[in-house]
Amino acid sequence: MRLIPFAVSAAAAAGLIFVLNRPLGPAPPLGKLLSPHTGFWQNAEPAGASFDADLQLEGLKGMAEVYFDERLVPHVFAENNEDLYFIQGYLHARFRLFQMDLQTRAAAGRASELAGPRAIEYDREQRRLGMVFAAENAVREIEKDPASRLIFDAYTKGVNAWISSLREADMPLEYKLLDSKPEKWTNLRSALLLKMMAKMLSSGTENDLAYTNAKSVFMPDELRRLYPQVHDSLVPIIPKGTVFPAPAIVPVPPASADSLYIGRRDTVKMKEISRPDPNNGSNNWVVAGSKTASGAPILCNDPHLELSLPSIWYEIQLQNKESNAYGVSLPGTPFVIIGFNDSIAWGVTNAQRDVKDYYEIKFRDASKKEYWFNGNWEKTEPREEIIHVKGQSPVTDTVYYTVFGPVMYDDRFTNDAAASRNLAVRWVAHDPSNEGKTFFWLNRARNYDEYEKAIRDFQCPGQNFIFASKTGDIAIWQQGKFPARWDRQGLYVMPGEDSSYMWQGFIPQTENPHARNPERGFLESANQRPADSTYPYFIPGSYITPRGITIENKLSGMSGIKPQDMMALHNDYFNTLAEDAREILAANVKENELDANARRYLDILRGWDLMAGPDSKGQTVFQCWWDSLETEIWKDELTRVHPQAPWPEEQTTMELLKKDTALRYIDNISTARTETLADIVTLSLKKAAQELLQKEKEGKLEWSLFKNPTVYHLIKDLKPFARPGLPVGGNGNIINAITHSHGPSWRMIVHLTDQTEAWGVYPGGQSGNPGSRFYDNFVDPWAAGKYHKLWFMRPGDRTDKNVKWVIRLQPAG
């Protein structure tokens, strides 16, 4: 068994709580934690542990079986939909209960119940963003549809069947360390998990507060240059040359837009406490049979998210008479989210679109019971929020709801009281929706028409749904509920005293950017803008350009493609941004002013092959130098306002310098002299060389050692349960987009031959128990760029050698 290494890790984790007694709150009772009968020892899973079982469960309708392969992937066979998703809920809870509990508590603004006082402000922000409000609206929409309600109810019953069976000894280790217990599951908690994904993927794609501050120091034409909507080098998702229809909605700006909105020059002092990672994104692409060796399409996907143990994903196959789907699921919700079935394959990337805006509210008085709207004092809807805090008394907050949504910022929350502004948030995720229905139907779709119908009502977060079928079709749709905006609407905080700045409608679903069976034989998305400037709607967002360029260039030159070629592309380290940026650096550095170390680093950069592999020193030199250059260019201008304005994207800086070596922002306005590009390129290398020399002395000049790629436990302070120092390269703007703790959370390749072939891997394991050999056994293959062959089990395979364990289930009684 894993007893000795697990005991060491568990003891170290407990030590963090006892000795440091910090982030996790009060320490658990020592005797309880160390009890040989119920303590952490019981979580050490024997190496030869069997998962065979015969179960009789309340809530099941018929007979069912779960066949586990050698990687602990369950292949579920049930007679009906209710049992299929009941069992999925049971398995999710059996292997990932603490993960489900923690993530949904955090989504609801209840992290303080486990983490103590340090999570109070996070919880307040979640509640002021309206996370529970959004989930409640979703549950009402789900439960309006009898079929959806049946499935979510069944899933919830399955989760609770496992929770009800738990003995004290079987409690996940984290509960023992936190001296806590799981709560019963509800449909609301499943909706909360989906809304947490919506926050991760759509709440961080707007920069309204930061752009409002930038507007206070830059003129409109400068703002367009520093924060462009369309990069010069953009390769859009929808191939250039696509003709878009005239817009069905033409939003009209209010007459006061120039004076009260565009021309307003004041700042906002609010700060976001838990802004989602801007690198949350993904790659997906599909090649038609015309470009493959087999003549069958190949579809690939790798969603980029925070890497964690347990993993965000749980691999599973779900089969009954009407469905046979394989892929990854989200513990806490039913369905396969990314995967394939007997006829099609699908994947997703984030649309990066802005679907959240802020409106300034005028309250009548300090009571906040009324606000001014359309010439009248309208009543707010107050919602008292009681935050229970581990180790101390509850904290109470009140959130006031308006016609726009909740007032997120006011004089009581992350605001400068001397310049208090009340900001309400309008977010598409608040609207009633049933995203689960999309995945229910994708799991069963057989062709393009059924795929298109399945995704039609998906609202938030906006996603690029890529598709391939055995009939040979390939397609991509950017699908979501996107506001139809007038030019620059929603880039900044908007006036909220009347309806003139409200959204005037939503882009019709049929006008969302999409493509099917292009002549070139492939489609791809990598979080770039979906369409070029000919698309008739204003579509702001936080787009990432370089990865799309790399993928486009690679696929354009490929033919006779095999799955192994796609594996190599998933793991590609080529740095497209650096290809252009290095020329700017090398052409403008004043080499005669450099010392020996700086010249040595310059030579490393010049000899670099532009691959950001784990052993690359050139990538480290480039990133340090480029970061230093950006600081020299932008810091003086952007720190004129507090909080500081956002820095232009790396791609923007490169394109500005490529077009104009005399760019006016090059000069440091804090000095008396006028700096040239050569001056600051040279100065930035000198400064970067100091950091590089220190890292070199520490033995960390190689890229993987420099950035220390790590898969953390969900509770980051439980470092003994993390996997640090992984030998991988990459970066956020590179196809293999691995940063310090973020990157490809699931790599999947599906070859749609007559008998579907598929491969996949994620950086984790099927079990959430740190004491199990299945906790992190996929991490090393993932880091090495290897894949598992995905066993798409058939009903006739029940005695196949791939079956390692079997759970047989039947109704109780």
Side-chain angles (χ1 to χ4, degrees):
M1 64 172 59
R2 292 184 54 167
L3 180 59
I4 294 176
F6 169 70
V8 172
S9 295
L16 283 172
I17 303 172
F18 286 115
V19 179
L20 304 179
N21 192 23
R22 38 171 244 243
L24 303 181
L30 184 59
K32 186 176 178 182
L33 183 66
L34 299 180
S35 166
H37 304 294
T38 61
F40 76 84
W41 309 97
Q42 292 294 321
N43 296 94
E45 186 178 278
S50 172
F51 297 92
D52 290 330
D54 290 289
L55 302 174
Q56 295 183 7
L57 298 177
E58 293 281 353
L60 278 177
K61 305 294 184 185
M63 309 293 284
E65 301 91 29
V66 179
Y67 299 87
F68 291 96
D69 61 29
E70 64 180 0
R71 297 188 294 112
L72 203 61
V73 175
H75 305 261
V76 183
F77 289 78
E79 296 175 353
N80 56 70
N81 285 332
E82 284 181 83
D83 286 355
L84 193 68
Y85 298 112
F86 177 102
I87 295 167
Q88 186 180 17
Y90 184 88
L91 292 170
H92 278 170
R94 165 69 179 83
F95 293 104
R96 300 292 188 84
L97 180 59
F98 178 76
Q99 170 186 5
M100 295 162 60
D101 191 8
L102 176 65
Q103 290 177 333
T104 52
R105 288 200 207 203
R110 297 176 53 202
S112 299
E113 296 172 8
L114 298 175
R118 76 162 184 168
I120 291 173
E121 291 306 295
Y122 169 87
D123 285 346
R124 292 183 70 199
E125 182 175 72
Q126 292 291 90
R127 296 178 187 225
R128 284 172 167 265
L129 179 57
M131 292 292 289
V132 172
F133 169 71
E136 289 169 343
N137 288 338
V139 168
R140 281 191 286 270
E141 191 71 11
I142 289 167
E143 296 183 349
K144 276 169 45 179
D145 176 48
S148 293
R149 178 164 192 163
L150 202 69
I151 289 166
F152 276 86
D153 283 350
Y155 179 87
T156 289
K157 289 175 185 176
V159 175
N160 288 329
W162 172 255
I163 293 174
S164 298
S165 73
L166 272 178
R167 303 175 303 139
E168 184 73 23
D170 300 326
M171 285 287 174
L173 174 64
E174 294 89 346
Y175 287 116
K176 297 175 183 180
L177 292 171
L178 296 170
D179 192 25
S180 181
K181 290 185 177 180
E183 294 182 339
K184 291 291 185 182
W185 200 256
T186 63
N187 290 350
L188 179 65
R189 300 190 81 182
S190 291
L192 276 164
L193 185 70
L194 292 172
K195 293 304 174 183
M196 194 63 166
M197 291 299 294
K199 179 188 175 182
M200 286 171 56
L201 298 174
S202 74
S203 185
T205 54
E206 52 79 22
N207 291 286
D208 301 17
L209 303 181
Y211 284 165
T212 298
N213 289 335
K215 184 161 60 74
S216 72
V217 293
F218 295 114
M219 299 302 293
D221 62 325
E222 292 181 286
L223 292 168
R224 291 183 187 274
R225 292 188 74 195
L226 300 184
Y227 314 109
Q229 291 298 312
V230 183
H231 280 126
D232 294 343
S233 53
L234 171 69
V235 177
I237 295 170
I238 307 308
K240 290 182 178 180
T242 299
V243 178
F244 299 103
I249 300 176
V250 181
V252 178
S256 62
D258 286 340
S259 58
L260 297 184
Y261 178 59
I262 303 297
R264 189 170 174 177
R265 309 275 286 180
D266 52 357
T267 62
V268 289
K269 303 297 184 184
M270 297 79 174
K271 63 178 183 294
E272 294 175 270
I273 293 170
S274 60
R275 183 172 175 82
D277 193 317
N279 289 311
N280 284 336
S282 308
N283 303 318
N284 63 25
W285 61 83
V286 62
V287 291
S290 60
K291 288 183 73 72
T292 67
S294 67
I298 301 176
L299 181 144
C300 306
N301 195 191
D302 57 304
H304 306 156
L305 297 167
E306 189 69 15
L307 305 180
S308 65
L309 290 168
S311 168
I312 191 172
W313 302 113
Y314 180 78
E315 198 173 330
I316 196 168
Q317 181 179 358
L318 298 170
Q319 181 173 131
N320 63 12
K321 293 177 182 178
E322 66 177 60
S323 175
N324 184 16
Y326 189 116
V328 286
S329 58
L330 281 170
T333 63
F335 315 118
V336 169
I337 304 300
I338 299 170
F340 58 94
N341 61 30
D342 290 308
S343 304
I344 73 163
W346 71 94
V348 294
T349 64
N350 198 34
Q352 305 293 117
R353 297 272 287 273
D354 179 2
V355 293
K356 189 179 83 171
D357 288 342
Y358 292 98
Y359 291 85
E360 185 163 10
I361 300 299
K362 177 183 177 182
F363 286 121
R364 186 168 193 168
D365 53 39
S367 73
K368 301 177 185 172
K369 293 179 179 179
E370 295 178 301
Y371 66 103
W372 187 252
F373 184 73
N374 279 345
N376 295 295
W377 290 109
E378 301 289 346
K379 292 186 181 300
T380 59
E381 296 181 20
R383 185 166 180 158
E384 186 179 56
E385 300 285 355
I386 300 174
I387 301 171
H388 295 281
V389 184
K390 187 173 185 178
Q392 72 171 53
S393 300
V395 172
T396 301
D397 196 9
T398 303
V399 182
Y400 297 90
Y401 282 74
T402 69
V403 67
F404 302 102
V407 176
M408 189 167 178
Y409 300 107
D410 57 22
D411 58 353
R412 295 185 59 203
F413 185 68
T414 67
N415 208 334
D416 184 341
S420 178
R421 298 175 69 176
N422 308 300
L423 302 186
V425 61
R426 173 69 176 101
W427 185 27
V428 167
H430 288 153
D431 296 353
S433 64
N434 181 3
E435 279 75 21
K437 186 185 290 187
T438 286
F439 299 107
F440 175 86
W441 288 114
L442 276 176
N443 286 196
R444 291 156 175 76
R446 295 166 296 178
N447 52 48
Y448 174 83
D449 290 339
E450 292 181 4
Y451 144 81
E452 191 276 326
K453 184 178 180 181
I455 68 173
R456 193 176 296 165
D457 296 321
F458 189 92
Q459 292 189 187
C460 188
Q463 296 289 289
N464 300 304
F465 284 89
I466 205 158
F467 163 87
S469 72
K470 290 189 177 180
T471 61
D473 283 317
I474 65 171
I476 193 166
W477 275 82
Q478 182 162 102
Q479 179 53 37
K481 186 178 180 182
F482 302 119
R485 304 173 181 271
W486 38 269
D487 182 37
R488 290 176 283 180
Q489 183 183 14
L491 288 185
Y492 321 114
V493 173
M494 292 189 283
E497 295 187 18
D498 59 38
S499 58
S500 61
Y501 287 84
M502 296 179 78
W503 299 339
Q504 296 172 23
F506 295 90
I507 298 172
Q509 190 270 340
T510 55
E511 295 182 33
N512 284 338
H514 61 280
R516 179 185 182 187
N517 296 332
E519 185 177 346
R520 66 187 192 174
F522 71 90
L523 291 163
E524 57 84 14
S525 73
N527 312 122
Q528 72 268 49
R529 181 183 157 100
D532 61 21
S533 58
T534 64
Y535 186 65
Y537 290 99
F538 177 66
I539 51 171
S542 296
Y543 304 117
I544 302 170
T545 299
R547 275 188 280 112
I549 297 173
T550 310
I551 296 170
E552 191 91 3
N553 290 341
K554 297 280 186 179
L555 291 177
S556 295
M558 296 174 74
S559 61
I561 297 170
K562 298 177 181 178
Q564 291 72 23
D565 300 318
M566 300 292 86
M567 294 177 189
L569 189 53
H570 261 164
N571 289 276
D572 190 271
Y573 285 136
F574 185 75
N575 191 328
T576 291
L577 172 72
E579 187 176 25
D580 289 315
R582 179 172 63 175
E583 293 181 8
I584 296 169
L585 297 174
N588 289 281
V589 66
K590 294 188 281 189
E591 193 169 353
N592 62 309
E593 295 184 10
L594 302 177
D595 64 17
N597 285 317
R599 283 197 299 273
R600 184 163 54 85
Y601 296 132
L602 175 60
D603 288 340
I604 290 174
L605 185 75
R606 284 173 169 162
W608 177 38
D609 61 3
L610 297 176
M611 302 297 284
D615 299 326
S616 173
K617 296 180 180 179
Q619 169 66 25
T620 308
V621 171
F622 167 73
Q623 199 62 55
C624 288
W625 190 357
W626 191 256
D627 289 348
S628 178
L629 177 64
E630 288 189 305
T631 299
E632 295 303 315
I633 294 174
W634 300 119
K635 185 176 180 180
D636 53 329
E637 268 92 7
L638 299 181
T639 54
R640 285 186 287 164
V641 60
H642 183 75
Q644 73 175 32
W647 290 29
E649 296 173 6
E650 287 183 321
Q651 189 75 16
T652 301
T653 300
M654 184 275 292
E655 291 183 4
L656 287 172
L657 294 176
K658 197 172 180 180
K659 287 188 296 186
D660 183 6
T661 56
L663 186 72
R664 78 174 188 83
Y665 306 106
I666 289 169
D667 177 47
N668 187 341
I669 60 176
S670 303
T671 66
R673 61 174 296 201
T674 300
E675 286 83 5
T676 65
L677 180 58
D679 291 333
I680 64 163
V681 165
T682 304
L683 177 62
S684 61
L685 176 55
K686 291 178 179 179
K687 291 184 176 181
Q690 297 175 23
E691 179 186 6
L692 290 166
L693 184 60
Q694 180 59 40
K695 290 296 181 181
E696 191 170 18
K697 289 177 180 177
E698 297 170 7
K700 296 180 179 179
L701 193 59
E702 290 80 4
W703 183 232
S704 66
L705 300 176
F706 179 86
K707 66 174 181 171
N708 184 28
T710 299
V711 184
Y712 288 100
H713 186 274
L714 283 169
I715 300 175
K716 284 195 173 183
D717 299 281
L718 293 180
K719 290 184 171 57
F721 300 151
R723 287 292 305 273
L726 297 174
V728 292
N731 206 10
N733 56 12
I734 289 167
I735 294 179
N736 197 355
I738 303 168
T739 60
H740 169 59
S741 61
H742 195 278
S745 59
W746 163 246
R747 294 189 183 115
M748 181 186 76
I749 296 168
V750 184
H751 191 196
L752 288 155
T753 48
D754 290 341
Q755 292 294 316
T756 305
E757 297 180 305
W759 297 262
V761 67
Y762 66 81
Q766 289 288 93
S767 176
N769 176 15
S772 169
R773 68 189 186 279
F774 296 106
Y775 173 67
D776 60 355
N777 58 314
F778 300 166
V779 173
D780 290 337
W782 173 86
K786 296 179 180 178
Y787 293 75
H788 302 122
K789 185 74 180 288
L790 307 184
W791 182 43
F792 197 31
M793 185 179 173
R794 305 289 177 175
D797 295 336
R798 285 176 165 83
T799 59
D800 191 277
K801 64 179 181 180
N802 287 307
V803 175
K804 299 301 179 185
W805 304 281
V806 182
I807 297 178
R808 293 181 172 85
L809 304 101
Q810 60 181 318

